[in-house]
Amino acid sequence: MFHIYCPYCAEYREEEEFHPRGQAHIARPADPEATSDDAWGDYLFFRDNPRGVHHELWVHAVGCRKFFNITRDTRSYAILETYRMGERPTVTANGPEAVPSATATLTGALA
Amino acid sequence: MSASSQTFRLAPKAGLGGEIDRDKPLRFTFNGKSYQGYAGDTLASALLANGVDVVNRSFKYSRPRGVVAAGAEEPNAIVQLGASEAAQVPNVRATQQALYEGLSARGTNGWPDAQRDMMSLVGKFGGPFMPVGFYYKTFKAPASLWMTYEKYIRKAAGLGRAPGESDPDIYDHMNRHCEVLVVGAGPAGLMAALTAAAGGVRVILCDEQETFGGSLRDRDETIDGLPAPEWARQTIERLAAMANVTLLPRTTANGYHDHNFVTLHERRTEHLGDTAPMVDGRRRSRSRLHRVRARHVVLASGAHERPLVYAGNDVPGNLLAGAVSSYIRRYAVMPGRRLVLSVTNDHAYRAALDWQAAGGEVVAIADARANPDGELVERARAAGIRVIAGSAVIEATSDRKGHRVNGARVAAIDIEGFRLSGEAEVLACDTIASSGGYSPVAHLAAHTGIRPVWRDDILGFVPGQAVDPVKGFSVVGGAAGVYALPALLEGAAVKVTQALAADGIHVDASEPPAVESIREGEAIGLYHVPHDKPTMRAPKQFVDLQNDVTAAAIELATIEGFESIEHVKRYTAMGFGTDQGKLGNINGMAIAARCLGQTIPETGTTVFRPNYTPVNFGAIVGRHCKELFEPERYTAMHQWHVAHGAKFEDVGQWKRPWYYPQRVNGKLESMHEAVARECLAVREKVGVLDASTLGKIDIQGPDAREFLGRIYTNGWEKLAVGKARYGLMCKDDGMVMDDGVTTCLGDNHFLMTTTTGGAAAILEWLEIWHQTEWPELEVYFTSVTDHWATMTLTGPEARNLLAELTDVDLDRDSFKFMEWREGVVAGVPARIYRISFTGELSFEINVQANYAMQVWESLFAHGNKYGLTPYGTETMHVLRAEKGFIIVGQDTDGSMTPEDLGMHWCVGYKKPYSWIGKRALTRSDTRREDRKQLVGLKPLEADVVLEEGAQIVFDPKQAIPMRMVGHVTSSYYSPTLERGFALAVVKGGHKRLGERVYLPMADGKTHAAEIVSPIFYDPQGSRQNV
Amino acid sequence: MSKVVQFDPHPAQAAATQSPLHHVAAKPAVGETGVTLTERAFLDHLIVRGEPGVLAGAVEAVLGLELPTQPQRLARNETGSLQWLSPDEWLLIVAGGEGFRLQRELREALGEAHFSIVDVGGGQTLLELSGKHAVEVLMKSTVYDVDPRHFPVGKGVTSVFAKATAVIRRVDESRWELVVRRSFADYCLRWLLDAGEEYGIAHQPTQPAVASHRQTVTDTETVS
């Protein structure tokens, strides 16, 4: 049962108030019609499953209803940080420089 | 029964039996026999006081078993509690069950009872020689017989039984939050709580026993000049007086979950009776689950004494050394008369000293060490007790029935060589107590993935490093392998002070209490005592008493090739079930290590899972049962529906009227009759539906229209104020996820409706796109589902009826189909939408929910002459299906595109923005011509109503398994068409109109049907446009 | 100016009204009363959305309340209460019949700005919980930390309530408010009566018994 710091409510809240929405920083291709079937399929269906640091999109569903990101260690379940939409993570598997460029833009929703 | 039956109860004496009240005798029955004990007793202490040796039969071999321990680690004295059928509770540890007047218990295993067990004669299965893996080997073939075998195995095994009647008690949950949760109220736990409480933070202290104090209850060292039990009592009083401290006795920390979430199981009234007594006519819960979120968890769960593994070590009369002290000191109960003690350490000498002080005979102490020389050893020698150094009890002998120890074979042993180094001597005795050292209780820590690590200096596993570095977690006292009182008290205070300091909370470190220290000699590692015969041929040497796992079984498992300790555990069942390896695990690992020629740390340990001890289902469920199992959502007209005899259908959490059966000629209509009547009323006169459950979302903002265009498949740029439009929503994979009518209230103001079940998910869907992809769009979404009550008035007479109640001009040319108007209906401000889900002339009347009944009742007050009929969801389904209107989630299943549904008319291919789902519609898979497509099915026989879900084939003569090409999604009898009809999905169905398909049914019948348009009624849509 | 339609839900003349809990009869506690539960019905509830910088001035001018921009903060005066729900969302509760006028005044004060005000008064009701055991009843019902040390007067949160959700607010030292959705109100009430039984829970009659009708006579105009 996670204890999650909501960056908008500015306090720790119980997991029951949240919904996980999968991997974070999946941006919708800017021009879908110009996107190949393969690339579109990747965007829709393919997700990372790392052992270790992972960035996830969550929503404070029973609360402020805001979406935000969680950086979580999938081994220990430790939540390393939470950050608002549009912000970059400061904790990544290989240091801040390894953050995919998509994080510089706004993050995307799940298909 | 008189007190004289308590032949093993000691006479009153200072310092003995401090926890019982001899002025409060209690009657209880065990296996049908009546006994007496005292208030303050546990069931186990009362049974021992009455000389009850055999309390149970063992799980696999049906061997007689007696009480071994005094706490949660008890493997044998597991009972079925409850005098009445409804009050039955299985798997209760007699060592943790407080005695109460009228308590009734039975041993869990054994038929007809533990004393006269019939199963042992047949040895259950395969006689008394059941090797490890017996079930796997014996019953593995033929596979088809397993179900038969299993039935009998289950019957024979017996792990208690659930009550056959409804539980009269209630259970509940309580959510708690604290800065420091201390698990265990022994010396370290009390010290930790005291320290944390001084910091002013919220502290919860729990302990699974009836009484706080842990090992202090059994010690006579002095702390701050007070005897240990007295110091404990005073400390508990101090804590109880502090407002920031919550004390929870009889409360087991059963699960340690992520981020310091701990579940505590509090037995609130289990010590008072079979059922929870009422207080002032009010019920209270029998047990309670506390869901605790703690900033810091301090594990002070102590250590379990490890028994030695020797032959016959399961016969009643074999106990843990510490348990002997507990029974004498706490309850003034002697578990026997003549004691032989077999030890590897100094601490356990207390058992012999207590035994002798209480008037019992200590025959000898067999000490595995060559030169024991600690202070307690000296005391024993000075008291005239025979200490046999370098030896151990190698076998317990017993009476013929195996009901009680009658002697101990003691021999000199060579631990390194795992053999005897001298002749065995037989000592007559009735009790053997053993201590092979102490195992820190690392269970809780292991729940969150903290692996135990072996420490040679204390000969035990202690919790290792927390895997989550953020977590506030410390281990103190025996659980950390710290056993000496001074070090343990100081260590607990220091760790808690440091933990709080990390959070900026300063605790004034008071002087640790002055403790009398006792010099202890070094302990030696001995787990499995050698016998004069090889392990495989020696009398049974038990490792796990609850699961009947022997040393020979573990040896055999290693011989058969099981090398991983996790595999050995699963092959032998060691540490399974409710036991969770409390007594046997370390011994089992030591034996496996020796057989594999490894060290214990090389062999490793298994880990533990929640729950630490069994939790009753009631406590897990709490109040989420019966009428509070699940929320029931009611509309504003719900009480009217109830009063008018509606049958209800669950739609999500909503209770929706399903149909309203009427009494016709004294007989209540069937559903079929009621639905037929309701359908015809709507088609011929007028009906009304409570449609309040539809999801409603208010959308405001200058970009509202743009947003709708991106989220819906169809176009919204031209929808004028005053108009409404049907919209279809896809996920980005192109599959339909929801639909509904959205109305343009103002240029920047829309009201979206969603399916009843989809309301919350769609609001979240709108938000996720707005918040993550299009934050630049100026638009806000607010749920108004509950605010509006919605009444759908539909049928040819709808206009005539409504006209009597409203000031709105309902003329067909001034209030057109797919428009809305604002006005007053029955005196109440209303919005009226002219939309239709039935195909008939329809008006949806929306009013603020508090005023709904005024409008609803006015409709009926005026509606009689028009034949106004309330109808439910079943009729709604029939009517919409006749029109081919889909229900998302019934006619779709997450794999249907708008095109599959034949709804190209609802797809804005030319919209400038690539709306959600558009791109996917040109993927190769979504372009396939043989996708399943929505069609109508007309059964060839008019009275056939196809089964929903029935599979469709093109060729009914083909061999099984047939090629399935689709299935029925909706199917009803139409009273209007006077025939059965269905909606279905069929591969390439849109191009197969007029073709015949077949539906082979489970009963052997095959139905034939013709593929037709899904619109069965009024295909021109003229009836809704009148 | 946003083209948004305002709607006054209240009848011009008194009409029959039913609160979400009208069907549950009040009942005194068995034995000593430890908790008291009262439905405060027919208030006007409005959801106000917008950026704080956009809303603050208008809110202050119309309601006389400082817009609470700190999370979980609840402001209150004689006009009503205004609670932070999210960085761009507030719950305004005022006397029944006042909502339409206040919404219009807010809209006028906000002019062309981007914001949203939505009437949700028919969709939720307010339950008041008081008495020495109110906190324990809440602890049985919500995962949120309602310990008075963590939940001072003037705080309000949205959280899980049994298997539903509720807005939980602390009004003063001994009184709490729960804002629950109409459709869940019956479930929440039954849950509270059950959870409060051991403390002696009294269920008071709904107040007021009926809604006040329209406060200011207006036609149902479209504000543009």
Side-chain angles (χ1 to χ4, degrees), chain B residues 293-580:
Chain B
R293 179 70 70 178
R295 175 69 194 99
H296 296 278
V297 171
V298 179
L299 191 60
S301 47
H304 287 149
E305 194 169 40
R306 226 157 35 220
L308 289 169
V309 177
Y310 49 87
N313 62 341
D314 69 323
V315 175
N318 286 285
L319 280 88
L320 290 168
V324 165
S325 289
S326 296
Y327 286 113
I328 293 172
R329 286 176 171 264
R330 298 177 192 173
Y331 313 109
V333 169
M334 286 290 282
R337 307 285 184 213
R338 307 181 75 205
L339 173 74
V340 170
L341 186 64
S342 187
V343 301
T344 62
N345 60 80
D346 279 16
H347 193 93
Y349 273 68
R350 289 159 209 265
L353 294 168
D354 290 339
W355 189 277
Q356 195 184 48
E361 181 192 343
V362 179
V363 179
I365 300 175
D367 193 321
R369 296 170 298 182
N371 294 300
D373 61 352
E375 205 175 315
L376 293 169
V377 181
E378 298 309 325
R379 277 195 220 171
R381 286 190 170 126
I385 295 173
R386 181 185 171 201
V387 176
I388 313 170
S391 74
V393 170
I394 64 162
E395 183 175 349
T397 61
S398 63
D399 56 6
R400 193 178 53 81
K401 288 175 169 172
H403 282 191
R404 182 77 196 195
V405 168
N406 66 6
R409 295 181 65 218
V410 176
I413 56 167
D414 167 5
I415 297 176
E416 281 295 302
F418 191 61
R419 59 187 174 83
L420 303 190
S421 53
E423 283 300 307
E425 175 187 3
V426 179
L427 303 174
C429 65
D430 61 6
T431 306
I432 300 171
S434 75
S435 174
Y438 302 87
S439 301
V441 179
H443 291 67
L444 229 49
H447 293 175
T448 49
I450 299 172
R451 288 200 79 88
V453 292
W454 179 259
R455 276 192 24 208
D456 271 329
D457 59 331
I458 61 144
L459 300 170
F461 282 99
V462 297
Q465 281 297 312
V467 284
D468 174 358
V470 193
K471 185 183 313 196
F473 173 66
S474 14
V475 192
V476 297
V482 184
Y483 301 127
L485 264 188
L488 170 160
L489 292 174
E490 196 185 340
V494 167
K495 280 201 178 170
V496 170
T497 305
Q498 285 170 351
L500 290 177
D503 280 352
I505 296 161
H506 178 69
V507 181
D508 273 322
S510 52
E511 279 294 299
V515 189
E516 173 197 0
S517 96
I518 294 176
R519 183 180 57 79
E520 288 197 7
E522 203 174 316
I524 193 169
L526 173 64
Y527 311 94
H528 179 198
V529 181
H531 192 268
D532 31 18
K533 290 181 184 162
T535 301
M536 294 287 209
R537 294 219 302 277
K540 285 192 166 59
Q541 303 161 320
F542 283 92
V543 175
D544 177 341
L545 291 160
Q546 190 180 101
N547 296 296
D548 261 359
V549 179
T550 62
I554 294 170
E555 196 171 300
L556 182 59
T558 60
I559 289 168
E560 291 187 358
F562 292 90
E563 291 176 359
S564 154
I565 193 66
E566 293 285 358
H567 293 160
V568 171
K569 169 183 167 167
R570 277 156 186 80
Y571 194 47
T572 61
M574 175 179 77
F576 268 33
T578 69
D579 187 65
Q580 289 290 294

Side-chain angles (χ1 to χ4, degrees), chain C residues 74-140:
Chain C
L74 172 66
R76 203 178 269 274
N77 66 5
E78 59 288 345
T79 305
S81 65
L82 186 61
Q83 181 188 347
W84 184 99
L85 294 181
S86 138
D88 59 5
E89 186 171 356
W90 286 263
L91 170 61
L92 174 64
I93 301 184
V94 297
E98 285 293 309
F100 182 77
R101 177 180 62 82
L102 290 169
Q103 180 179 170
R104 193 172 55 186
E105 288 175 22
L106 281 169
R107 288 191 176 279
E108 280 163 7
L110 285 161
E112 294 293 321
H114 169 46
F115 65 93
S116 140
I117 303 174
V118 181
D119 179 8
V120 294
Q124 48 199 39
T125 193
L126 193 146
L127 304 177
E128 187 181 288
L129 208 57
S130 62
K132 62 183 178 202
H133 289 295
V135 173
E136 278 114 313
V137 172
L138 291 173
M139 285 167 75
K140 285 191 184 185

Side-chain angles (χ1 to χ4, degrees), chain B residues 769-790:
Chain B
W769 286 101
H770 184 222
Q771 292 181 36
T772 67
E773 283 287 344
W774 311 318
E776 71 282 3
L777 293 187
E778 292 194 326
V779 59
Y780 288 115
F781 315 98
T782 303
S783 169
V784 287
T785 301
D786 286 29
H787 176 75
W788 296 101
T790 306

Side-chain angles (χ1 to χ4, degrees), chain A residues 21-88:
Chain A
R21 294 302 299 255
Q23 186 176 341
H25 307 303
I26 306 283
R28 189 173 195 251
D31 185 356
E33 308 310 308
T35 307
S36 71
D37 273 8
D38 278 356
W40 190 256
D42 281 351
Y43 154 69
L44 284 182
F45 304 121
F46 288 82
R47 296 294 180 267
D48 297 336
N49 186 19
R51 183 172 193 273
V53 174
H54 190 41
H55 306 287
E56 299 169 342
L57 179 65
W58 287 66
V59 58
H60 194 181
V62 183
C64 66
R65 303 197 295 118
K66 293 291 176 205
F67 287 80
F68 63 98
N69 298 311
I70 287 180
T71 303
R72 190 169 69 86
D73 190 322
T74 60
R75 295 164 299 188
S76 65
Y77 290 5
I79 292 177
L80 307 174
E81 64 175 335
T82 60
Y83 50 103
R84 297 176 178 216
M85 278 300 103
E87 292 177 352
R88 297 171 65 97

Side-chain angles (χ1 to χ4, degrees), chain B residues 2 123 154 231 355 463 645 703 803 806 852 999:
Chain B
S2 70
R154 295 265 177 254
W231 183 83
W355 189 277
D703 293 320
T806 187
L999 300 100

